[in-house]
Amino acid sequence: MYWDWVTDSTNPTQAAVFDPVLGFGTNGVMSEAANNNGHPPLRDGAFASLRPTYWNNWTEPHSLSRHWQLNGGFNDLHSGAYNEESMALVNAETSYDGFRIALEGGPHSSVHGGVGGPAGDMGTQNASPNDPLFFLHHAVVALAGAGSRRKDKRLQWERH
């Protein structure tokens, strides 16, 4: 499965990647967070039974969790930061540092925060790889960088 969050930004909660049967699952269940070390557990999708061992820098076994940031359809999952207009601004950057800062501070971090929120695995730096969705997300981040470098040779890595 591939996740094109730019295309899905118009209605991210309905993206195929979040399908409750064939996809990676939907939102965590907030009413069950108290029974999961404060994290809303995922109850559907292919990874509903996943039990990560770590949360941030400590051992804290829990069910995989997501805490979607919902705003009644408008900018759900912080989608305004990774729509076509936002990505056009990222891709308009003419230096590596400008591109990196625009991508990391906008679309990249917004997907983490929008899907994981303050209580879900994707929303915290050291727990985000617990969610298999992390790897689909980072494939899109890498693709964005590769596409920009192919388009404009000035964005070839200035440092390694």
Side-chain angles (χ1 to χ4, degrees):
M1 179 173 278
Y2 172 75
W3 182 25
D4 181 354
W5 34 254
V6 176
T7 299
D8 290 336
S9 67
T10 56
N11 195 0
T13 61
Q14 298 305 306
V17 72
F18 294 124
D19 186 89
V21 177
L22 300 175
F24 283 55
T26 58
N27 197 11
V29 180
M30 204 58 192
S31 63
E32 296 179 24
N35 298 326
N36 193 40
N37 294 320
H39 313 296
L42 193 64
R43 292 293 182 228
D44 57 21
F47 300 100
S49 62
L50 187 62
R51 292 209 26 98
T53 301
Y54 299 102
W55 179 263
N56 283 338
N57 293 322
W58 54 88
T59 302
E60 186 177 297
H62 62 284
S63 295
L64 180 64
S65 61
R66 293 199 186 118
H67 186 196
W68 286 0
Q69 301 305 288
L70 302 173
N71 300 306
F74 174 75
N75 203 27
D76 277 348
L77 309 186
H78 303 302
S79 60
Y82 51 90
N83 61 22
E84 286 186 29
E85 295 82 15
S86 297
M87 287 305 295
L89 292 172
V90 169
N91 289 321
E93 291 294 332
T94 59
S95 72
Y96 168 76
D97 277 340
F99 176 81
R100 179 186 57 80
I101 291 167
L103 182 63
E104 291 291 327
H108 171 253
S109 63
S110 293
V111 170
H112 278 282
V115 172
D121 287 284
M122 277 284 285
T124 62
Q125 183 175 2
N126 294 330
S128 59
N130 288 344
D131 193 332
L133 191 60
F134 169 92
F135 299 97
L136 290 183
H137 169 49
H138 280 257
V140 178
V141 171
L143 183 63
S148 288
R149 288 192 306 277
R150 274 194 309 273
K151 180 183 77 179
D152 186 343
K153 296 299 180 192
R154 293 175 298 164
L155 289 178
Q156 295 297 327
W157 298 130
E158 297 166 2
R159 53 186 146 133
H160 296 78

